[in-house]
Coordinates of all heavy atoms in Angstrom, one line a residue:
M1 N 14.7 -3.0 4.8 CA 13.9 -4.2 4.7 C 12.9 -4.3 5.9 O 13.3 -3.8 7.0 CB 14.8 -5.4 4.6 CG 14.8 -6.0 3.2 SD 15.4 -7.7 3.2 CE 17.1 -7.5 3.7
F2 N 11.8 -5.0 5.6 CA 10.8 -5.1 6.7 C 10.4 -6.6 6.8 O 10.6 -7.4 5.8 CB 9.6 -4.3 6.3 CG 9.9 -2.8 6.1 CD1 10.3 -2.3 4.9 CD2 9.8 -2.0 7.2 CE1 10.6 -1.0 4.7 CE2 10.1 -0.6 7.1 CZ 10.5 -0.1 5.8
A3 N 9.9 -7.0 8.0 CA 9.4 -8.3 8.2 C 8.3 -8.2 9.2 O 8.0 -7.2 9.8 CB 10.5 -9.2 8.7
I4 N 7.5 -9.4 9.3 CA 6.4 -9.5 10.2 C 6.9 -10.4 11.4 O 7.4 -11.5 11.1 CB 5.1 -10.0 9.6 CG1 4.7 -9.0 8.5 CG2 4.0 -10.2 10.6 CD1 3.6 -9.5 7.6
Q5 N 6.7 -9.9 12.6 CA 7.2 -10.7 13.8 C 6.0 -10.9 14.8 O 5.2 -10.0 15.0 CB 8.3 -9.9 14.5 CG 8.9 -10.5 15.6 CD 10.0 -9.7 16.3 OE1 9.8 -8.5 16.4 NE2 11.1 -10.3 16.7
N6 N 6.0 -12.1 15.4 CA 5.1 -12.4 16.5 C 5.6 -11.6 17.7 O 6.8 -11.8 18.1 CB 5.0 -13.9 16.7 CG 4.0 -14.2 17.8 OD1 4.1 -13.8 18.9 ND2 3.0 -15.0 17.3
I7 N 4.8 -10.9 18.4 CA 5.1 -10.1 19.5 C 5.5 -11.0 20.7 O 6.5 -10.7 21.4 CB 4.0 -9.1 19.9 CG1 3.8 -8.0 18.8 CG2 4.3 -8.4 21.2 CD1 2.6 -7.2 18.9
K8 N 4.7 -12.0 20.9 CA 4.9 -12.9 22.1 C 6.1 -13.7 22.0 O 6.9 -13.9 23.0 CB 3.6 -13.7 22.3 CG 2.4 -12.9 22.7 CD 1.2 -13.8 22.9 CE 0.0 -13.0 23.2 NZ -1.2 -13.9 23.3
T9 N 6.3 -14.4 20.9 CA 7.4 -15.3 20.7 C 8.7 -14.7 20.2 O 9.8 -15.3 20.3 CB 7.0 -16.5 19.9 OG1 6.8 -16.1 18.5 CG2 5.8 -17.2 20.4
G10 N 8.6 -13.6 19.4 CA 9.7 -13.1 18.7 C 10.1 -13.7 17.4 O 11.0 -13.4 16.7
K11 N 9.3 -14.8 17.1 CA 9.6 -15.5 15.8 C 9.0 -14.7 14.6 O 8.1 -13.9 14.8 CB 8.9 -16.9 15.8 CG 9.5 -17.8 16.9 CD 8.9 -19.1 16.9 CE 9.5 -20.1 17.9 NZ 8.9 -21.4 17.8
F12 N 9.6 -14.9 13.4 CA 9.2 -14.2 12.2 C 8.2 -15.0 11.4 O 8.3 -16.3 11.3 CB 10.4 -13.9 11.4 CG 11.3 -12.9 12.1 CD1 12.4 -13.3 12.9 CD2 11.0 -11.5 12.0 CE1 13.2 -12.4 13.5 CE2 11.8 -10.6 12.6 CZ 12.9 -11.0 13.4
L13 N 7.3 -14.4 10.7 CA 6.4 -15.0 9.8 C 7.0 -15.5 8.5 O 7.8 -14.7 7.9 CB 5.3 -14.0 9.5 CG 4.2 -14.5 8.6 CD1 3.0 -14.9 9.4 CD2 3.7 -13.4 7.6
Y14 N 6.8 -16.7 8.2 CA 7.3 -17.2 6.9 C 6.2 -17.8 6.0 O 6.5 -18.1 4.9 CB 8.4 -18.2 7.1 CG 8.0 -19.6 7.6 CD1 7.6 -20.6 6.7 CD2 7.9 -19.9 9.0 CE1 7.2 -21.8 7.2 CE2 7.5 -21.1 9.4 CZ 7.1 -22.1 8.5 OH 6.7 -23.3 9.0
G15 N 5.0 -17.8 6.5 CA 3.9 -18.4 5.7 C 2.6 -18.3 6.4 O 2.5 -18.0 7.6
T16 N 1.5 -18.6 5.7 CA 0.2 -18.6 6.3 C -0.6 -19.9 5.8 O -0.5 -20.2 4.6 CB -0.6 -17.4 5.9 OG1 0.2 -16.2 6.3 CG2 -2.0 -17.3 6.5
D17 N -1.3 -20.5 6.7 CA -2.1 -21.7 6.4 C -3.5 -21.2 6.3 O -4.2 -20.9 7.3 CB -1.9 -22.8 7.5 CG -2.5 -24.1 7.1 OD1 -3.3 -24.1 6.1 OD2 -2.2 -25.1 7.7
Y18 N -4.0 -21.2 5.0 CA -5.4 -20.7 4.8 C -6.5 -21.8 5.0 O -7.6 -21.5 4.7 CB -5.5 -20.1 3.4 CG -4.6 -18.9 3.2 CD1 -3.4 -18.9 2.6 CD2 -5.1 -17.6 3.7 CE1 -2.6 -17.8 2.5 CE2 -4.3 -16.5 3.6 CZ -3.1 -16.6 3.0 OH -2.3 -15.5 2.9
R19 N -6.1 -23.0 5.4 CA -7.1 -24.0 5.6 C -8.0 -23.7 6.8 O -9.1 -24.3 7.0 CB -6.5 -25.3 5.8 CG -5.7 -25.8 4.6 CD -5.1 -27.2 4.9 NE -4.0 -27.0 5.8 CZ -3.3 -28.0 6.4 NH1 -3.5 -29.2 6.0 NH2 -2.3 -27.7 7.2
Y20 N -7.6 -22.8 7.7 CA -8.3 -22.4 8.9 C -9.0 -21.0 8.8 O -8.6 -20.2 8.0 CB -7.4 -22.4 10.1 CG -6.6 -23.7 10.3 CD1 -5.3 -23.8 9.8 CD2 -7.2 -24.8 10.9 CE1 -4.6 -25.0 10.0 CE2 -6.5 -26.0 11.1 CZ -5.2 -26.1 10.6 OH -4.6 -27.2 10.8
R21 N -10.0 -20.8 9.6 CA -10.7 -19.5 9.7 C -10.6 -19.1 11.1 O -11.2 -19.7 12.0 CB -12.1 -19.6 9.2 CG -12.3 -19.8 7.8 CD -12.0 -18.5 7.1 NE -12.2 -18.7 5.6 CZ -11.4 -18.2 4.7 NH1 -10.4 -17.4 5.1 NH2 -11.6 -18.4 3.5
P22 N -9.9 -18.0 11.5 CA -9.0 -17.2 10.7 C -7.8 -18.0 10.3 O -7.4 -19.0 10.9 CB -8.7 -16.0 11.5 CG -8.8 -16.5 12.9 CD -9.9 -17.5 12.9
P23 N -7.0 -17.5 9.3 CA -5.8 -18.2 8.8 C -4.8 -18.3 10.0 O -4.7 -17.4 10.8 CB -5.3 -17.3 7.7 CG -6.5 -16.5 7.2 CD -7.3 -16.3 8.4
H24 N -4.1 -19.4 10.0 CA -3.0 -19.6 11.0 C -1.7 -19.2 10.4 O -1.3 -19.6 9.3 CB -2.9 -21.1 11.4 CG -4.1 -21.6 12.2 ND1 -4.1 -22.8 12.9 CD2 -5.2 -21.0 12.5 CE1 -5.2 -22.9 13.5 NE2 -5.9 -21.8 13.3
Q25 N -0.9 -18.4 11.2 CA 0.4 -17.9 10.7 C 1.5 -18.9 11.1 O 1.4 -19.5 12.1 CB 0.7 -16.6 11.4 CG -0.4 -15.5 11.2 CD -0.8 -15.3 9.8 OE1 0.0 -15.4 8.9 NE2 -2.0 -14.8 9.6
R26 N 2.4 -19.1 10.1 CA 3.5 -20.0 10.3 C 4.7 -19.1 10.7 O 5.1 -18.2 10.0 CB 3.8 -20.8 9.1 CG 2.7 -21.7 8.7 CD 2.4 -22.8 9.7 NE 1.3 -23.6 9.3 CZ 0.4 -24.1 10.1 NH1 0.5 -23.7 11.4 NH2 -0.6 -24.8 9.7
T27 N 5.4 -19.4 11.8 CA 6.5 -18.6 12.3 C 7.7 -19.5 12.5 O 7.6 -20.7 12.7 CB 6.1 -17.9 13.6 OG1 5.8 -18.8 14.6 CG2 5.0 -16.9 13.4
S28 N 8.9 -18.8 12.5 CA 10.1 -19.6 12.7 C 11.2 -18.6 13.1 O 11.2 -17.4 12.9 CB 10.5 -20.2 11.3 OG 11.8 -20.7 11.4
N29 N 12.2 -19.2 13.8 CA 13.4 -18.4 14.1 C 14.4 -18.4 13.0 O 15.3 -17.5 13.0 CB 14.1 -19.0 15.4 CG 13.4 -18.7 16.7 OD1 12.8 -17.6 16.8 ND2 13.3 -19.6 17.6
T30 N 14.3 -19.3 12.1 CA 15.3 -19.4 11.0 C 14.8 -19.0 9.6 O 15.7 -18.9 8.7 CB 15.8 -20.9 10.9 OG1 14.7 -21.7 10.7 CG2 16.5 -21.3 12.2
K31 N 13.5 -18.8 9.4 CA 13.0 -18.4 8.1 C 12.1 -17.2 8.3 O 11.5 -17.0 9.4 CB 12.1 -19.5 7.5 CG 12.8 -20.8 7.2 CD 11.9 -21.7 6.5 CE 11.1 -22.6 7.4 NZ 10.3 -23.6 6.7
M32 N 12.1 -16.3 7.3 CA 11.2 -15.2 7.3 C 10.9 -14.6 5.9 O 11.7 -14.8 5.0 CB 11.8 -14.0 8.2 CG 12.9 -13.3 7.6 SD 13.5 -11.9 8.5 CE 14.3 -12.6 9.8
L33 N 9.8 -14.0 5.8 CA 9.4 -13.3 4.6 C 9.9 -11.9 4.8 O 9.8 -11.3 5.9 CB 7.9 -13.2 4.4 CG 7.3 -14.6 4.0 CD1 5.8 -14.4 4.0 CD2 7.7 -15.0 2.6
T34 N 10.6 -11.3 3.8 CA 11.0 -9.9 3.8 C 10.4 -9.1 2.8 O 10.0 -9.6 1.7 CB 12.6 -9.8 3.7 OG1 12.9 -10.4 2.4 CG2 13.3 -10.6 4.8
Y35 N 10.2 -7.8 3.0 CA 9.6 -6.9 2.1 C 10.5 -5.7 1.9 O 11.2 -5.2 2.8 CB 8.2 -6.4 2.8 CG 7.4 -7.6 3.2 CD1 7.4 -8.1 4.5 CD2 6.5 -8.2 2.3 CE1 6.6 -9.2 4.8 CE2 5.7 -9.3 2.6 CZ 5.8 -9.7 3.9 OH 5.0 -10.8 4.3
S36 N 10.4 -5.2 0.7 CA 11.3 -4.0 0.4 C 10.7 -2.7 0.8 O 11.4 -1.7 0.9 CB 11.6 -4.0 -1.1 OG 10.4 -3.9 -1.8
S37 N 9.4 -2.6 1.1 CA 8.8 -1.4 1.5 C 7.8 -1.6 2.6 O 7.2 -2.7 2.7 CB 8.1 -0.7 0.3 OG 7.0 -1.4 -0.1
I38 N 7.5 -0.5 3.3 CA 6.5 -0.6 4.4 C 5.1 -0.8 3.8 O 4.3 -1.5 4.4 CB 6.6 0.6 5.3 CG1 5.7 0.5 6.5 CG2 6.2 1.9 4.6 CD1 6.2 -0.4 7.6
A39 N 4.9 -0.3 2.7 CA 3.6 -0.4 2.0 C 3.3 -1.9 1.7 O 2.2 -2.4 1.9 CB 3.5 0.5 0.8
E40 N 4.3 -2.5 1.1 CA 4.2 -3.9 0.8 C 4.0 -4.8 2.0 O 3.2 -5.7 2.0 CB 5.5 -4.4 0.0 CG 5.4 -5.8 -0.5 CD 6.7 -6.2 -1.2 OE1 7.7 -5.4 -1.2 OE2 6.7 -7.3 -1.7
A41 N 4.7 -4.5 3.1 CA 4.6 -5.3 4.3 C 3.2 -5.1 4.9 O 2.6 -6.0 5.4 CB 5.7 -4.9 5.3
A42 N 2.7 -3.8 4.9 CA 1.4 -3.5 5.5 C 0.3 -4.2 4.7 O -0.6 -4.7 5.3 CB 1.2 -2.0 5.6
H43 N 0.4 -4.2 3.4 CA -0.6 -4.8 2.6 C -0.6 -6.3 2.9 O -1.7 -6.9 3.1 CB -0.3 -4.6 1.1 CG -1.3 -5.3 0.2 ND1 -1.2 -6.5 -0.3 CD2 -2.5 -4.8 -0.2 CE1 -2.2 -6.9 -1.0 NE2 -3.1 -5.9 -1.0
D44 N 0.5 -7.0 3.0 CA 0.6 -8.4 3.3 C 0.1 -8.6 4.7 O -0.7 -9.6 4.9 CB 2.0 -8.9 3.2 CG 2.1 -10.3 2.7 OD1 1.2 -10.8 1.9 OD2 3.1 -11.0 3.1
F45 N 0.4 -7.8 5.6 CA 0.0 -7.9 7.0 C -1.5 -7.8 7.2 O -2.1 -8.7 7.8 CB 0.6 -6.7 7.8 CG 0.4 -6.8 9.3 CD1 1.3 -7.4 10.1 CD2 -0.7 -6.2 9.9 CE1 1.1 -7.5 11.5 CE2 -0.9 -6.2 11.2 CZ 0.0 -6.9 12.1
W46 N -2.2 -6.8 6.6 CA -3.6 -6.6 6.8 C -4.5 -7.3 5.8 O -5.5 -8.0 6.2 CB -3.9 -5.1 6.7 CG -3.3 -4.3 7.8 CD1 -2.3 -3.4 7.7 CD2 -3.7 -4.4 9.2 NE1 -2.0 -2.9 9.0 CE2 -2.9 -3.5 9.9 CE3 -4.7 -5.1 9.9 CZ2 -3.0 -3.3 11.3 CZ3 -4.8 -4.9 11.3 CH2 -4.0 -4.0 11.9
V47 N -4.1 -7.3 4.5 CA -5.0 -7.8 3.5 C -4.8 -9.3 3.2 O -5.8 -10.1 3.2 CB -4.9 -6.9 2.2 CG1 -5.8 -7.5 1.1 CG2 -5.2 -5.5 2.5
K48 N -3.6 -9.6 2.9 CA -3.3 -11.0 2.4 C -3.3 -12.0 3.6 O -4.0 -13.0 3.5 CB -2.0 -11.0 1.7 CG -1.8 -12.4 1.0 CD -0.5 -12.4 0.2 CE -0.2 -13.8 -0.4 NZ 1.1 -13.8 -1.0
R49 N -2.6 -11.7 4.6 CA -2.4 -12.7 5.7 C -3.3 -12.5 6.9 O -3.4 -13.4 7.7 CB -0.9 -12.7 6.1 CG 0.0 -13.0 5.0 CD 1.4 -13.3 5.4 NE 2.2 -13.5 4.2 CZ 2.3 -14.6 3.5 NH1 1.6 -15.6 3.8 NH2 3.1 -14.7 2.4
K50 N -3.9 -11.4 7.0 CA -4.9 -11.1 8.0 C -4.3 -11.3 9.4 O -4.8 -12.0 10.3 CB -6.2 -11.9 7.9 CG -6.9 -11.5 6.6 CD -8.1 -12.4 6.4 CE -8.9 -12.1 5.1 NZ -8.2 -11.8 3.9
C51 N -3.1 -10.7 9.7 CA -2.4 -10.9 10.9 C -3.2 -10.1 12.0 O -3.8 -9.1 11.8 CB -1.0 -10.3 10.9 SG 0.1 -11.2 9.8
G52 N -3.2 -10.7 13.2 CA -3.9 -10.1 14.3 C -3.0 -9.2 15.2 O -1.9 -8.8 14.8
K53 N -3.5 -8.9 16.4 CA -2.8 -8.0 17.3 C -1.6 -8.6 17.9 O -0.8 -8.0 18.6 CB -3.8 -7.6 18.4 CG -4.3 -8.7 19.2 CD -5.3 -8.2 20.2 CE -5.9 -9.4 21.0 NZ -7.0 -9.0 21.8
D54 N -1.3 -9.9 17.7 CA -0.1 -10.6 18.2 C 1.1 -10.4 17.2 O 2.1 -10.9 17.5 CB -0.4 -12.1 18.3 CG -1.4 -12.4 19.4 OD1 -1.6 -11.6 20.3 OD2 -2.0 -13.5 19.4
Y55 N 0.9 -9.7 16.2 CA 2.0 -9.5 15.2 C 2.3 -8.0 15.0 O 1.4 -7.1 15.2 CB 1.6 -10.1 13.8 CG 1.5 -11.6 13.9 CD1 0.4 -12.3 14.3 CD2 2.7 -12.4 13.7 CE1 0.3 -13.7 14.5 CE2 2.6 -13.8 13.8 CZ 1.5 -14.4 14.2 OH 1.4 -15.8 14.3
R56 N 3.5 -7.7 14.5 CA 3.9 -6.4 14.2 C 4.9 -6.4 13.0 O 5.5 -7.4 12.7 CB 4.6 -5.8 15.5 CG 5.9 -6.5 15.9 CD 6.5 -5.9 17.1 NE 7.6 -6.7 17.6 CZ 8.1 -6.7 18.8 NH1 7.6 -5.8 19.6 NH2 9.1 -7.5 19.1
I57 N 5.0 -5.2 12.4 CA 5.9 -5.1 11.3 C 7.2 -4.5 11.9 O 7.1 -3.5 12.7 CB 5.4 -4.1 10.2 CG1 4.1 -4.8 9.6 CG2 6.4 -3.8 9.2 CD1 3.4 -3.9 8.6
V58 N 8.3 -5.1 11.6 CA 9.6 -4.6 12.1 C 10.6 -4.2 11.0 O 10.5 -4.7 9.9 CB 10.3 -5.7 13.0 CG1 9.5 -5.9 14.3 CG2 10.5 -7.0 12.3
V59 N 11.5 -3.3 11.3 CA 12.5 -2.9 10.3 C 13.7 -3.7 10.6 O 14.2 -3.8 11.7 CB 12.8 -1.3 10.5 CG1 13.9 -0.9 9.5 CG2 11.5 -0.5 10.3
L60 N 14.3 -4.2 9.5 CA 15.5 -5.1 9.6 C 16.7 -4.3 9.3 O 16.7 -3.4 8.5 CB 15.4 -6.3 8.7 CG 14.2 -7.2 8.9 CD1 14.1 -8.2 7.8 CD2 14.2 -7.9 10.2
K61 N 17.9 -4.7 9.8 CA 19.2 -4.1 9.4 C 19.5 -4.6 8.0 O 19.0 -5.6 7.6 CB 20.3 -4.5 10.4 CG 20.2 -3.9 11.7 CD 21.4 -4.4 12.5 CE 21.4 -3.8 13.9 NZ 22.5 -4.2 14.7
S62 N 20.4 -3.9 7.4 CA 20.8 -4.3 6.0 C 21.4 -5.7 6.1 O 22.1 -6.1 7.1 CB 21.9 -3.4 5.5 OG 21.3 -2.1 5.3
V63 N 21.1 -6.5 5.1 CA 21.7 -7.9 5.0 C 23.1 -7.8 4.5 O 23.5 -7.1 3.6 CB 20.8 -8.7 4.0 CG1 21.4 -10.1 3.8 CG2 19.4 -8.8 4.5
E64 N 24.0 -8.6 5.1 CA 25.4 -8.6 4.7 C 25.7 -10.0 4.1 O 25.3 -11.0 4.7 CB 26.2 -8.4 6.0 CG 27.7 -8.5 5.7 CD 28.5 -8.3 7.0 OE1 28.1 -7.5 7.9 OE2 29.5 -9.0 7.2
V65 N 26.3 -10.0 3.0 CA 26.7 -11.3 2.3 C 27.9 -11.8 3.1 O 29.0 -11.2 3.1 CB 27.0 -11.1 0.8 CG1 27.5 -12.4 0.2 CG2 25.8 -10.5 0.1
K66 N 27.7 -13.0 3.6 CA 28.8 -13.7 4.4 C 29.7 -14.5 3.4 O 30.9 -14.5 3.6 CB 28.2 -14.6 5.4 CG 29.2 -15.3 6.3 CD 28.6 -16.1 7.4 CE 29.6 -16.9 8.2 NZ 28.9 -17.7 9.2
R67 N 29.1 -15.2 2.5 CA 29.9 -16.0 1.6 C 29.1 -16.2 0.3 O 27.9 -16.2 0.3 CB 30.1 -17.4 2.2 CG 30.9 -18.3 1.5 CD 31.2 -19.6 2.3 NE 30.2 -20.6 1.9 CZ 30.1 -21.8 2.5 NH1 30.9 -22.1 3.4 NH2 29.2 -22.6 2.1
V68 N 29.8 -16.3 -0.8 CA 29.1 -16.5 -2.1 C 29.4 -18.0 -2.5 O 30.5 -18.4 -2.5 CB 29.7 -15.5 -3.2 CG1 29.1 -15.9 -4.6 CG2 29.4 -14.1 -2.8
I69 N 28.3 -18.7 -2.9 CA 28.4 -20.0 -3.4 C 28.1 -20.0 -4.8 O 27.0 -19.7 -5.2 CB 27.5 -21.0 -2.6 CG1 27.8 -20.9 -1.1 CG2 27.6 -22.4 -3.1 CD1 26.8 -21.6 -0.2
D70 N 29.1 -20.3 -5.6 CA 28.9 -20.3 -7.1 C 28.1 -21.5 -7.6 O 28.0 -22.5 -6.9 CB 30.3 -20.4 -7.8 CG 31.1 -19.1 -7.6 OD1 30.5 -18.0 -7.4 OD2 32.3 -19.2 -7.5
Y71 N 27.5 -21.3 -8.7 CA 26.7 -22.3 -9.3 C 27.6 -23.6 -9.6 O 28.7 -23.5 -9.9 CB 26.1 -21.9 -10.6 CG 25.4 -22.9 -11.4 CD1 24.1 -23.3 -11.1 CD2 26.1 -23.6 -12.5 CE1 23.5 -24.3 -11.8 CE2 25.4 -24.6 -13.2 CZ 24.2 -25.0 -12.8 OH 23.5 -26.0 -13.5
Y72 N 27.0 -24.7 -9.4 CA 27.7 -26.0 -9.7 C 26.8 -26.9 -10.3 O 25.6 -26.9 -10.2 CB 28.3 -26.6 -8.4 CG 27.2 -26.9 -7.4 CD1 26.6 -28.2 -7.4 CD2 26.9 -26.0 -6.4 CE1 25.6 -28.5 -6.4 CE2 25.9 -26.3 -5.5 CZ 25.3 -27.5 -5.5 OH 24.3 -27.8 -4.6
D73 N 27.4 -27.9 -11.1 CA 26.6 -28.9 -11.8 C 26.2 -30.0 -10.8 O 27.1 -30.7 -10.3 CB 27.4 -29.4 -13.0 CG 26.6 -30.3 -13.8 OD1 25.4 -30.5 -13.6 OD2 27.1 -30.8 -14.8
S74 N 25.0 -30.2 -10.5 CA 24.6 -31.1 -9.5 C 24.9 -32.6 -9.9 O 24.9 -33.5 -9.1 CB 23.1 -31.0 -9.2 OG 22.3 -31.2 -10.3
K75 N 25.1 -32.8 -11.2 CA 25.4 -34.2 -11.7 C 26.7 -34.7 -11.1 O 26.9 -35.9 -11.0 CB 25.5 -34.2 -13.2 CG 24.1 -34.0 -13.9 CD 24.3 -34.0 -15.4 CE 22.9 -33.6 -16.0 NZ 23.0 -33.5 -17.4
N76 N 27.6 -33.8 -10.7 CA 28.9 -34.3 -10.1 C 28.7 -34.9 -8.7 O 29.6 -35.6 -8.2 CB 29.8 -33.1 -9.9 CG 30.2 -32.5 -11.3 OD1 30.2 -33.2 -12.3 ND2 30.5 -31.2 -11.3
F77 N 27.5 -34.7 -8.1 CA 27.3 -35.2 -6.8 C 26.4 -36.5 -6.7 O 26.1 -37.0 -5.7 CB 26.6 -34.1 -5.9 CG 27.5 -33.0 -5.7 CD1 27.4 -31.8 -6.4 CD2 28.6 -33.0 -4.7 CE1 28.2 -30.7 -6.3 CE2 29.4 -32.0 -4.5 CZ 29.2 -30.8 -5.3
I78 N 26.0 -37.0 -7.9 CA 25.2 -38.2 -8.0 C 26.0 -39.4 -8.1 O 27.0 -39.5 -8.7 CB 24.1 -38.1 -9.1 CG1 23.2 -36.9 -8.8 CG2 23.4 -39.4 -9.3 CD1 22.2 -36.7 -9.8

């Protein structure tokens, strides 16, 4: 898996605000966009999000499932 990371802060990209020129990247320590291939990450990096020299593509370790939460009927909580 791959992700886009800010080099200076170490935070991960989770979105882009296109109201600005150039677009402003939204970063977080708790959220991130992940990509299944380097080609998909590179396309998003260069073409779609127009990331600058402050960002890089990083390889992530495999995700481990910690706990499974089964589907529940939300009407029980109202």
Side-chain angles (χ1 to χ4, degrees):
M1 251 199 292
F2 303 89
I4 299 172
Q5 183 183 39
N6 184 297
I7 294 171
K8 294 178 182 178
T9 65
K11 294 181 179 182
F12 293 95
L13 181 95
Y14 73 89
T16 303
D17 190 344
Y18 293 102
R19 294 179 293 175
Y20 304 98
R21 288 284 180 221
H24 289 192
Q25 308 305 333
R26 300 293 179 222
T27 58
S28 172
N29 285 325
T30 58
K31 297 187 272 186
M32 74 173 71
L33 292 173
T34 58
Y35 307 93
S36 59
S37 71
I38 186 74
E40 184 182 5
H43 180 269
D44 212 32
F45 185 93
W46 293 110
V47 178
K48 185 176 177 189
R49 301 194 185 278
K50 297 175 177 45
C51 293
K53 60 185 175 188
D54 294 339
Y55 292 87
R56 63 183 171 198
I57 297 173
V58 294
V59 179
L60 303 173
K61 289 183 180 180
S62 297
V63 176
E64 180 181 322
V65 176
K66 182 176 179 179
R67 184 174 93 180
V68 176
I69 301 172
D70 293 328
Y71 172 80
Y72 59 90
D73 187 3
S74 60
K75 293 179 183 177
N76 294 334
F77 294 100
I78 296 178

